Amino acid sequence: MKDKKLSRKKLAEIFKIPYPTINEWAKCESGNWRYEVLTFLSSLSLSEIETIKARGKKIE
């Protein structure tokens, strides 16, 4: 089964980014790095995020 898209609020929780910051990023123009980061994060499934975060813990 395909993972559903996560909400901005859930992305803010998972990545510990303030929710108002996420909303500001969404208002940026396409091509702005903030907009691009949000677009990338929004394209990830929960399982992909968990994999990436687990990989990051091993590097520390």
Side-chain angles (χ1 to χ4, degrees):
M1 184 165 82
K2 188 175 180 179
D3 290 326
K4 68 178 190 172
K5 187 174 177 180
L6 299 173
S7 68
R8 288 185 197 161
K9 191 156 194 93
K10 189 69 176 170
L11 287 173
E13 276 178 35
I14 292 170
F15 289 104
K16 296 178 176 60
I17 300 169
Y19 184 63
T21 300
I22 294 274
N23 285 330
E24 285 299 315
W25 289 3
K27 295 176 187 174
C28 293
E29 292 182 20
S30 180
N32 180 295
W33 71 268
R34 292 165 187 87
Y35 181 86
E36 298 300 327
V37 168
L38 180 58
T39 301
F40 172 74
L41 295 177
S42 296
S43 72
L44 298 172
S45 68
L46 185 55
S47 60
E48 290 171 324
I49 291 170
E50 290 169 350
T51 300
I52 291 168
K53 290 186 85 170
R55 196 177 300 152
K57 289 178 183 173
K58 293 177 185 175
I59 293 172
E60 292 177 353

